[in-house]
Amino acid sequence: MPKLGMEPIRKEALVKATITEIGRTGSLDVTVSQIAKRAGMSSALAHHYFGSKEDIFLAAMRHILTLYGAEVRGALATTTTPQARLNAILAASFSASNFRREAVSAWLNFWVLAQSVPEAKRLLAVYQRRLRSNLLACLRPLAGDRAEQVADGLGALIDGLYLREVLKSGAPDGAAAVRTARDYLAAELGRWEE
């Protein structure tokens, strides 16, 4: 087995420090020096590994999207019915690992970054297409011709629940967010089971 060098370990530390710093400040107004200090290394080393602050932000965004995607795929792998698959997507979207204060702040700030950085915009577009595709696959058998409308509404609701969470104090309440999304589905589709 090949020996793992320091570069991937340090890059991972910088990515995690970036997410923590964005969560701490609630904005992208953090310096490479702050990120590097939190990661326990020099800002010169951070620049060596990533090149720029924007590149560190993009790496953090990819990290969050990768974790989210893996959790959704894992949750979907254990389900068979369309309703169970929708419940799995909601559970993964608002899980303790995805719906924690730092991740919520990072998501919000990545949406802001996407307004001016083409690669950030592309990454968020990929996320939105995948989410919509997963929702449509579940909703077509349940909503028929209304599947696209319901999927778009549910996708907007998921994003909106993240947005509203930054205005609250205390730990994010993933269970309440899932209930809100299920209430929406119940209103759109009729009866909804957990």
Side-chain angles (χ1 to χ4, degrees):
M1 181 171 207
K3 184 177 176 181
L4 185 63
M6 287 306 295
E7 183 175 349
I9 294 167
R10 287 179 177 154
K11 280 185 169 182
E12 182 178 353
L14 286 165
V15 164
K16 289 179 179 179
T18 301
I19 294 165
T20 300
E21 283 299 306
I22 291 170
R24 185 185 63 76
T25 64
S27 77
L28 295 172
D29 191 25
V30 296
T31 65
V32 173
S33 179
Q34 289 169 301
I35 294 167
K37 183 177 179 182
R38 179 162 300 273
M41 62 189 80
S42 71
S43 57
L45 198 53
H47 280 291
H48 169 74
Y49 287 129
F50 287 103
S52 71
K53 183 168 77 167
E54 183 178 291
D55 291 334
I56 296 172
F57 288 157
L58 290 171
M61 187 175 179
R62 282 186 204 94
H63 178 76
I64 285 176
L65 290 168
T66 298
L67 293 177
Y68 171 75
E71 192 159 348
V72 169
R73 285 188 304 278
L76 290 175
T78 63
T79 63
T80 56
T81 68
Q83 187 163 329
R85 292 177 69 77
L86 276 172
N87 281 325
I89 292 168
L90 294 176
S93 294
F94 299 107
S95 71
S97 59
N98 290 315
F99 201 57
R100 65 187 197 283
R101 180 67 50 213
E102 294 86 7
V104 170
S105 288
W107 273 101
L108 178 63
N109 284 287
F110 292 147
W111 282 318
V112 171
L113 188 65
Q115 300 303 304
S116 59
V117 177
E119 179 63 9
K121 185 175 185 174
R122 186 192 71 76
L123 288 171
L124 281 176
V126 168
Y127 151 75
Q128 288 179 330
R129 281 193 307 270
R130 286 182 183 161
L131 176 62
R132 187 172 195 272
S133 174
N134 282 333
L135 295 176
L136 279 172
C138 301
L139 286 165
R140 281 190 182 107
L142 300 172
D145 293 342
R146 296 185 55 249
E148 288 192 20
Q149 175 187 344
V150 176
D152 289 342
L154 184 56
L157 180 60
I158 290 169
D159 290 346
L161 288 166
Y162 270 75
L163 180 62
R164 291 184 73 151
E165 192 58 43
V166 299
L167 301 175
K168 297 179 182 176
S169 60
D173 187 350
V178 169
R179 282 192 302 275
T180 300
R182 287 180 180 159
D183 288 348
Y184 167 80
L185 287 169
E188 290 295 322
L189 304 174
R191 195 173 133 246
W192 189 262
E193 298 172 12
E194 292 187 24

PDB file of all heavy atoms in Angstrom, residues 148-181:
ATOM      1  N   GLU A 148     -42.597  17.625 -12.120  1.00  0.00           N
ATOM      2  CA  GLU A 148     -41.616  18.711 -12.266  1.00  0.00           C
ATOM      3  C   GLU A 148     -41.945  19.883 -11.359  1.00  0.00           C
ATOM      4  O   GLU A 148     -41.059  20.444 -10.708  1.00  0.00           O
ATOM      5  CB  GLU A 148     -41.518  19.158 -13.725  1.00  0.00           C
ATOM      6  CG  GLU A 148     -40.825  18.122 -14.583  1.00  0.00           C
ATOM      7  CD  GLU A 148     -40.459  18.658 -15.963  1.00  0.00           C
ATOM      8  OE1 GLU A 148     -40.385  19.894 -16.133  1.00  0.00           O
ATOM      9  OE2 GLU A 148     -40.232  17.828 -16.846  1.00  0.00           O
ATOM     10  N   GLN A 149     -43.206  20.243 -11.295  1.00  0.00           N
ATOM     11  CA  GLN A 149     -43.641  21.352 -10.441  1.00  0.00           C
ATOM     12  C   GLN A 149     -43.347  21.038  -8.970  1.00  0.00           C
ATOM     13  O   GLN A 149     -42.817  21.884  -8.244  1.00  0.00           O
ATOM     14  CB  GLN A 149     -45.128  21.598 -10.639  1.00  0.00           C
ATOM     15  CG  GLN A 149     -45.720  22.639  -9.720  1.00  0.00           C
ATOM     16  CD  GLN A 149     -47.235  22.711  -9.855  1.00  0.00           C
ATOM     17  OE1 GLN A 149     -47.823  22.222 -10.814  1.00  0.00           O
ATOM     18  NE2 GLN A 149     -47.871  23.330  -8.876  1.00  0.00           N
ATOM     19  N   VAL A 150     -43.676  19.844  -8.533  1.00  0.00           N
ATOM     20  CA  VAL A 150     -43.453  19.461  -7.134  1.00  0.00           C
ATOM     21  C   VAL A 150     -41.947  19.372  -6.839  1.00  0.00           C
ATOM     22  O   VAL A 150     -41.490  19.823  -5.788  1.00  0.00           O
ATOM     23  CB  VAL A 150     -44.175  18.135  -6.792  1.00  0.00           C
ATOM     24  CG1 VAL A 150     -43.872  17.694  -5.368  1.00  0.00           C
ATOM     25  CG2 VAL A 150     -45.682  18.284  -6.991  1.00  0.00           C
ATOM     26  N   ALA A 151     -41.176  18.828  -7.780  1.00  0.00           N
ATOM     27  CA  ALA A 151     -39.722  18.729  -7.589  1.00  0.00           C
ATOM     28  C   ALA A 151     -39.095  20.112  -7.478  1.00  0.00           C
ATOM     29  O   ALA A 151     -38.235  20.344  -6.615  1.00  0.00           O
ATOM     30  CB  ALA A 151     -39.083  17.951  -8.734  1.00  0.00           C
ATOM     31  N   ASP A 152     -39.516  21.037  -8.334  1.00  0.00           N
ATOM     32  CA  ASP A 152     -38.971  22.395  -8.272  1.00  0.00           C
ATOM     33  C   ASP A 152     -39.343  23.068  -6.951  1.00  0.00           C
ATOM     34  O   ASP A 152     -38.517  23.751  -6.338  1.00  0.00           O
ATOM     35  CB  ASP A 152     -39.452  23.228  -9.457  1.00  0.00           C
ATOM     36  CG  ASP A 152     -38.832  22.798 -10.779  1.00  0.00           C
ATOM     37  OD1 ASP A 152     -37.788  22.091 -10.754  1.00  0.00           O
ATOM     38  OD2 ASP A 152     -39.388  23.148 -11.833  1.00  0.00           O
ATOM     39  N   GLY A 153     -40.567  22.861  -6.501  1.00  0.00           N
ATOM     40  CA  GLY A 153     -40.997  23.433  -5.228  1.00  0.00           C
ATOM     41  C   GLY A 153     -40.231  22.842  -4.053  1.00  0.00           C
ATOM     42  O   GLY A 153     -39.801  23.565  -3.147  1.00  0.00           O
ATOM     43  N   LEU A 154     -40.029  21.528  -4.080  1.00  0.00           N
ATOM     44  CA  LEU A 154     -39.304  20.874  -2.984  1.00  0.00           C
ATOM     45  C   LEU A 154     -37.832  21.288  -2.985  1.00  0.00           C
ATOM     46  O   LEU A 154     -37.250  21.541  -1.927  1.00  0.00           O
ATOM     47  CB  LEU A 154     -39.437  19.355  -3.080  1.00  0.00           C
ATOM     48  CG  LEU A 154     -38.813  18.547  -1.947  1.00  0.00           C
ATOM     49  CD1 LEU A 154     -39.344  18.974  -0.583  1.00  0.00           C
ATOM     50  CD2 LEU A 154     -39.057  17.055  -2.179  1.00  0.00           C
ATOM     51  N   GLY A 155     -37.228  21.389  -4.161  1.00  0.00           N
ATOM     52  CA  GLY A 155     -35.835  21.849  -4.247  1.00  0.00           C
ATOM     53  C   GLY A 155     -35.689  23.254  -3.701  1.00  0.00           C
ATOM     54  O   GLY A 155     -34.751  23.556  -2.946  1.00  0.00           O
ATOM     55  N   ALA A 156     -36.624  24.138  -4.058  1.00  0.00           N
ATOM     56  CA  ALA A 156     -36.594  25.515  -3.548  1.00  0.00           C
ATOM     57  C   ALA A 156     -36.804  25.526  -2.035  1.00  0.00           C
ATOM     58  O   ALA A 156     -36.168  26.312  -1.315  1.00  0.00           O
ATOM     59  CB  ALA A 156     -37.652  26.357  -4.249  1.00  0.00           C
ATOM     60  N   LEU A 157     -37.661  24.662  -1.544  1.00  0.00           N
ATOM     61  CA  LEU A 157     -37.906  24.586  -0.104  1.00  0.00           C
ATOM     62  C   LEU A 157     -36.659  24.114   0.640  1.00  0.00           C
ATOM     63  O   LEU A 157     -36.302  24.675   1.686  1.00  0.00           O
ATOM     64  CB  LEU A 157     -39.081  23.645   0.185  1.00  0.00           C
ATOM     65  CG  LEU A 157     -39.443  23.464   1.656  1.00  0.00           C
ATOM     66  CD1 LEU A 157     -39.826  24.782   2.310  1.00  0.00           C
ATOM     67  CD2 LEU A 157     -40.571  22.454   1.789  1.00  0.00           C
ATOM     68  N   ILE A 158     -35.975  23.121   0.112  1.00  0.00           N
ATOM     69  CA  ILE A 158     -34.737  22.639   0.745  1.00  0.00           C
ATOM     70  C   ILE A 158     -33.719  23.775   0.823  1.00  0.00           C
ATOM     71  O   ILE A 158     -33.152  24.044   1.886  1.00  0.00           O
ATOM     72  CB  ILE A 158     -34.165  21.420  -0.013  1.00  0.00           C
ATOM     73  CG1 ILE A 158     -35.073  20.203   0.195  1.00  0.00           C
ATOM     74  CG2 ILE A 158     -32.741  21.107   0.445  1.00  0.00           C
ATOM     75  CD1 ILE A 158     -34.770  19.027  -0.712  1.00  0.00           C
ATOM     76  N   ASP A 159     -33.499  24.464  -0.287  1.00  0.00           N
ATOM     77  CA  ASP A 159     -32.567  25.600  -0.289  1.00  0.00           C
ATOM     78  C   ASP A 159     -33.043  26.676   0.679  1.00  0.00           C
ATOM     79  O   ASP A 159     -32.250  27.262   1.417  1.00  0.00           O
ATOM     80  CB  ASP A 159     -32.417  26.180  -1.695  1.00  0.00           C
ATOM     81  CG  ASP A 159     -31.666  25.266  -2.649  1.00  0.00           C
ATOM     82  OD1 ASP A 159     -31.025  24.304  -2.184  1.00  0.00           O
ATOM     83  OD2 ASP A 159     -31.724  25.530  -3.866  1.00  0.00           O
ATOM     84  N   GLY A 160     -34.330  26.951   0.679  1.00  0.00           N
ATOM     85  CA  GLY A 160     -34.887  27.975   1.560  1.00  0.00           C
ATOM     86  C   GLY A 160     -34.747  27.637   3.031  1.00  0.00           C
ATOM     87  O   GLY A 160     -34.520  28.524   3.862  1.00  0.00           O
ATOM     88  N   LEU A 161     -34.862  26.367   3.368  1.00  0.00           N
ATOM     89  CA  LEU A 161     -34.686  25.964   4.769  1.00  0.00           C
ATOM     90  C   LEU A 161     -33.250  26.188   5.221  1.00  0.00           C
ATOM     91  O   LEU A 161     -33.008  26.563   6.377  1.00  0.00           O
ATOM     92  CB  LEU A 161     -35.115  24.511   4.963  1.00  0.00           C
ATOM     93  CG  LEU A 161     -36.633  24.284   4.908  1.00  0.00           C
ATOM     94  CD1 LEU A 161     -36.956  22.798   4.763  1.00  0.00           C
ATOM     95  CD2 LEU A 161     -37.324  24.883   6.118  1.00  0.00           C
ATOM     96  N   TYR A 162     -32.290  25.988   4.328  1.00  0.00           N
ATOM     97  CA  TYR A 162     -30.896  26.317   4.651  1.00  0.00           C
ATOM     98  C   TYR A 162     -30.753  27.829   4.847  1.00  0.00           C
ATOM     99  O   TYR A 162     -30.111  28.284   5.802  1.00  0.00           O
ATOM    100  CB  TYR A 162     -29.951  25.849   3.543  1.00  0.00           C
ATOM    101  CG  TYR A 162     -29.445  24.436   3.737  1.00  0.00           C
ATOM    102  CD1 TYR A 162     -30.248  23.336   3.491  1.00  0.00           C
ATOM    103  CD2 TYR A 162     -28.149  24.213   4.172  1.00  0.00           C
ATOM    104  CE1 TYR A 162     -29.782  22.048   3.673  1.00  0.00           C
ATOM    105  CE2 TYR A 162     -27.662  22.932   4.356  1.00  0.00           C
ATOM    106  CZ  TYR A 162     -28.489  21.846   4.102  1.00  0.00           C
ATOM    107  OH  TYR A 162     -28.018  20.573   4.300  1.00  0.00           O
ATOM    108  N   LEU A 163     -31.336  28.592   3.960  1.00  0.00           N
ATOM    109  CA  LEU A 163     -31.243  30.044   4.033  1.00  0.00           C
ATOM    110  C   LEU A 163     -31.844  30.563   5.336  1.00  0.00           C
ATOM    111  O   LEU A 163     -31.251  31.397   6.026  1.00  0.00           O
ATOM    112  CB  LEU A 163     -31.953  30.663   2.822  1.00  0.00           C
ATOM    113  CG  LEU A 163     -31.968  32.173   2.723  1.00  0.00           C
ATOM    114  CD1 LEU A 163     -30.551  32.713   2.601  1.00  0.00           C
ATOM    115  CD2 LEU A 163     -32.795  32.609   1.526  1.00  0.00           C
ATOM    116  N   ARG A 164     -32.999  30.072   5.710  1.00  0.00           N
ATOM    117  CA  ARG A 164     -33.655  30.534   6.937  1.00  0.00           C
ATOM    118  C   ARG A 164     -32.881  30.123   8.177  1.00  0.00           C
ATOM    119  O   ARG A 164     -32.944  30.803   9.198  1.00  0.00           O
ATOM    120  CB  ARG A 164     -35.076  30.000   6.995  1.00  0.00           C
ATOM    121  CG  ARG A 164     -35.974  30.630   5.944  1.00  0.00           C
ATOM    122  CD  ARG A 164     -37.358  30.157   6.083  1.00  0.00           C
ATOM    123  NE  ARG A 164     -37.916  30.790   7.265  1.00  0.00           N
ATOM    124  CZ  ARG A 164     -39.195  31.056   7.407  1.00  0.00           C
ATOM    125  NH1 ARG A 164     -40.030  30.756   6.448  1.00  0.00           N
ATOM    126  NH2 ARG A 164     -39.638  31.619   8.502  1.00  0.00           N
ATOM    127  N   GLU A 165     -32.152  29.021   8.087  1.00  0.00           N
ATOM    128  CA  GLU A 165     -31.423  28.521   9.250  1.00  0.00           C
ATOM    129  C   GLU A 165     -30.352  29.497   9.715  1.00  0.00           C
ATOM    130  O   GLU A 165     -30.075  29.586  10.911  1.00  0.00           O
ATOM    131  CB  GLU A 165     -30.808  27.154   8.940  1.00  0.00           C
ATOM    132  CG  GLU A 165     -30.276  26.441  10.143  1.00  0.00           C
ATOM    133  CD  GLU A 165     -31.316  26.193  11.226  1.00  0.00           C
ATOM    134  OE1 GLU A 165     -32.456  25.796  10.906  1.00  0.00           O
ATOM    135  OE2 GLU A 165     -30.984  26.414  12.415  1.00  0.00           O
ATOM    136  N   VAL A 166     -29.752  30.247   8.793  1.00  0.00           N
ATOM    137  CA  VAL A 166     -28.688  31.181   9.196  1.00  0.00           C
ATOM    138  C   VAL A 166     -29.226  32.317  10.044  1.00  0.00           C
ATOM    139  O   VAL A 166     -28.457  32.986  10.741  1.00  0.00           O
ATOM    140  CB  VAL A 166     -27.888  31.731   7.991  1.00  0.00           C
ATOM    141  CG1 VAL A 166     -27.204  30.628   7.234  1.00  0.00           C
ATOM    142  CG2 VAL A 166     -28.757  32.572   7.089  1.00  0.00           C
ATOM    143  N   LEU A 167     -30.522  32.553  10.015  1.00  0.00           N
ATOM    144  CA  LEU A 167     -31.110  33.625  10.811  1.00  0.00           C
ATOM    145  C   LEU A 167     -31.442  33.174  12.231  1.00  0.00           C
ATOM    146  O   LEU A 167     -31.758  34.005  13.084  1.00  0.00           O
ATOM    147  CB  LEU A 167     -32.383  34.137  10.129  1.00  0.00           C
ATOM    148  CG  LEU A 167     -32.196  34.684   8.712  1.00  0.00           C
ATOM    149  CD1 LEU A 167     -33.535  35.046   8.103  1.00  0.00           C
ATOM    150  CD2 LEU A 167     -31.256  35.875   8.720  1.00  0.00           C
ATOM    151  N   LYS A 168     -31.388  31.890  12.488  1.00  0.00           N
ATOM    152  CA  LYS A 168     -31.735  31.354  13.801  1.00  0.00           C
ATOM    153  C   LYS A 168     -30.501  31.267  14.682  1.00  0.00           C
ATOM    154  O   LYS A 168     -29.379  31.225  14.210  1.00  0.00           O
ATOM    155  CB  LYS A 168     -32.346  29.957  13.649  1.00  0.00           C
ATOM    156  CG  LYS A 168     -33.641  29.928  12.887  1.00  0.00           C
ATOM    157  CD  LYS A 168     -34.135  28.505  12.781  1.00  0.00           C
ATOM    158  CE  LYS A 168     -35.414  28.415  11.969  1.00  0.00           C
ATOM    159  NZ  LYS A 168     -35.814  27.007  11.810  1.00  0.00           N
ATOM    160  N   SER A 169     -30.754  31.189  15.968  1.00  0.00           N
ATOM    161  CA  SER A 169     -29.648  30.943  16.898  1.00  0.00           C
ATOM    162  C   SER A 169     -29.735  29.496  17.371  1.00  0.00           C
ATOM    163  O   SER A 169     -30.773  28.852  17.253  1.00  0.00           O
ATOM    164  CB  SER A 169     -29.717  31.905  18.086  1.00  0.00           C
ATOM    165  OG  SER A 169     -30.939  31.735  18.772  1.00  0.00           O
ATOM    166  N   GLY A 170     -28.649  29.000  17.882  1.00  0.00           N
ATOM    167  CA  GLY A 170     -28.614  27.622  18.343  1.00  0.00           C
ATOM    168  C   GLY A 170     -28.313  26.656  17.220  1.00  0.00           C
ATOM    169  O   GLY A 170     -28.110  27.042  16.068  1.00  0.00           O
ATOM    170  N   ALA A 171     -28.288  25.397  17.582  1.00  0.00           N
ATOM    171  CA  ALA A 171     -27.977  24.350  16.611  1.00  0.00           C
ATOM    172  C   ALA A 171     -29.121  24.189  15.610  1.00  0.00           C
ATOM    173  O   ALA A 171     -30.288  24.312  15.978  1.00  0.00           O
ATOM    174  CB  ALA A 171     -27.720  23.034  17.336  1.00  0.00           C
ATOM    175  N   PRO A 172     -28.797  23.920  14.359  1.00  0.00           N
ATOM    176  CA  PRO A 172     -29.837  23.666  13.367  1.00  0.00           C
ATOM    177  C   PRO A 172     -30.690  22.462  13.758  1.00  0.00           C
ATOM    178  O   PRO A 172     -30.199  21.498  14.327  1.00  0.00           O
ATOM    179  CB  PRO A 172     -29.052  23.382  12.082  1.00  0.00           C
ATOM    180  CG  PRO A 172     -27.750  24.086  12.277  1.00  0.00           C
ATOM    181  CD  PRO A 172     -27.460  23.935  13.748  1.00  0.00           C
ATOM    182  N   ASP A 173     -31.970  22.540  13.443  1.00  0.00           N
ATOM    183  CA  ASP A 173     -32.910  21.474  13.774  1.00  0.00           C
ATOM    184  C   ASP A 173     -33.289  20.732  12.490  1.00  0.00           C
ATOM    185  O   ASP A 173     -34.255  21.089  11.812  1.00  0.00           O
ATOM    186  CB  ASP A 173     -34.141  22.065  14.456  1.00  0.00           C
ATOM    187  CG  ASP A 173     -35.102  21.012  14.991  1.00  0.00           C
ATOM    188  OD1 ASP A 173     -34.922  19.810  14.670  1.00  0.00           O
ATOM    189  OD2 ASP A 173     -36.021  21.397  15.727  1.00  0.00           O
ATOM    190  N   GLY A 174     -32.507  19.701  12.176  1.00  0.00           N
ATOM    191  CA  GLY A 174     -32.744  18.933  10.959  1.00  0.00           C
ATOM    192  C   GLY A 174     -34.084  18.223  10.954  1.00  0.00           C
ATOM    193  O   GLY A 174     -34.750  18.140   9.922  1.00  0.00           O
ATOM    194  N   ALA A 175     -34.512  17.723  12.112  1.00  0.00           N
ATOM    195  CA  ALA A 175     -35.790  17.013  12.188  1.00  0.00           C
ATOM    196  C   ALA A 175     -36.954  17.951  11.855  1.00  0.00           C
ATOM    197  O   ALA A 175     -37.887  17.566  11.141  1.00  0.00           O
ATOM    198  CB  ALA A 175     -35.972  16.401  13.575  1.00  0.00           C
ATOM    199  N   ALA A 176     -36.891  19.199  12.328  1.00  0.00           N
ATOM    200  CA  ALA A 176     -37.943  20.172  12.010  1.00  0.00           C
ATOM    201  C   ALA A 176     -37.927  20.499  10.522  1.00  0.00           C
ATOM    202  O   ALA A 176     -38.991  20.651   9.906  1.00  0.00           O
ATOM    203  CB  ALA A 176     -37.758  21.440  12.845  1.00  0.00           C
ATOM    204  N   ALA A 177     -36.752  20.600   9.931  1.00  0.00           N
ATOM    205  CA  ALA A 177     -36.652  20.877   8.498  1.00  0.00           C
ATOM    206  C   ALA A 177     -37.259  19.735   7.683  1.00  0.00           C
ATOM    207  O   ALA A 177     -37.984  19.971   6.716  1.00  0.00           O
ATOM    208  CB  ALA A 177     -35.198  21.102   8.107  1.00  0.00           C
ATOM    209  N   VAL A 178     -36.980  18.499   8.078  1.00  0.00           N
ATOM    210  CA  VAL A 178     -37.560  17.340   7.384  1.00  0.00           C
ATOM    211  C   VAL A 178     -39.079  17.370   7.515  1.00  0.00           C
ATOM    212  O   VAL A 178     -39.798  17.117   6.536  1.00  0.00           O
ATOM    213  CB  VAL A 178     -36.974  16.014   7.921  1.00  0.00           C
ATOM    214  CG1 VAL A 178     -37.751  14.819   7.407  1.00  0.00           C
ATOM    215  CG2 VAL A 178     -35.501  15.894   7.542  1.00  0.00           C
ATOM    216  N   ARG A 179     -39.600  17.681   8.692  1.00  0.00           N
ATOM    217  CA  ARG A 179     -41.060  17.753   8.878  1.00  0.00           C
ATOM    218  C   ARG A 179     -41.672  18.808   7.961  1.00  0.00           C
ATOM    219  O   ARG A 179     -42.729  18.582   7.362  1.00  0.00           O
ATOM    220  CB  ARG A 179     -41.408  18.051  10.340  1.00  0.00           C
ATOM    221  CG  ARG A 179     -41.297  16.855  11.258  1.00  0.00           C
ATOM    222  CD  ARG A 179     -41.923  17.110  12.626  1.00  0.00           C
ATOM    223  NE  ARG A 179     -41.340  18.262  13.315  1.00  0.00           N
ATOM    224  CZ  ARG A 179     -40.243  18.213  14.061  1.00  0.00           C
ATOM    225  NH1 ARG A 179     -39.589  17.071  14.207  1.00  0.00           N
ATOM    226  NH2 ARG A 179     -39.794  19.304  14.653  1.00  0.00           N
ATOM    227  N   THR A 180     -41.020  19.963   7.845  1.00  0.00           N
ATOM    228  CA  THR A 180     -41.522  21.020   6.960  1.00  0.00           C
ATOM    229  C   THR A 180     -41.574  20.531   5.512  1.00  0.00           C
ATOM    230  O   THR A 180     -42.567  20.756   4.808  1.00  0.00           O
ATOM    231  CB  THR A 180     -40.631  22.281   7.065  1.00  0.00           C
ATOM    232  OG1 THR A 180     -40.655  22.740   8.413  1.00  0.00           O
ATOM    233  CG2 THR A 180     -41.106  23.380   6.135  1.00  0.00           C
ATOM    234  N   ALA A 181     -40.532  19.857   5.077  1.00  0.00           N
ATOM    235  CA  ALA A 181     -40.504  19.332   3.706  1.00  0.00           C
ATOM    236  C   ALA A 181     -41.571  18.257   3.507  1.00  0.00           C
ATOM    237  O   ALA A 181     -42.228  18.214   2.461  1.00  0.00           O
ATOM    238  CB  ALA A 181     -39.113  18.779   3.390  1.00  0.00           C
TER     239      ALA A 181
END
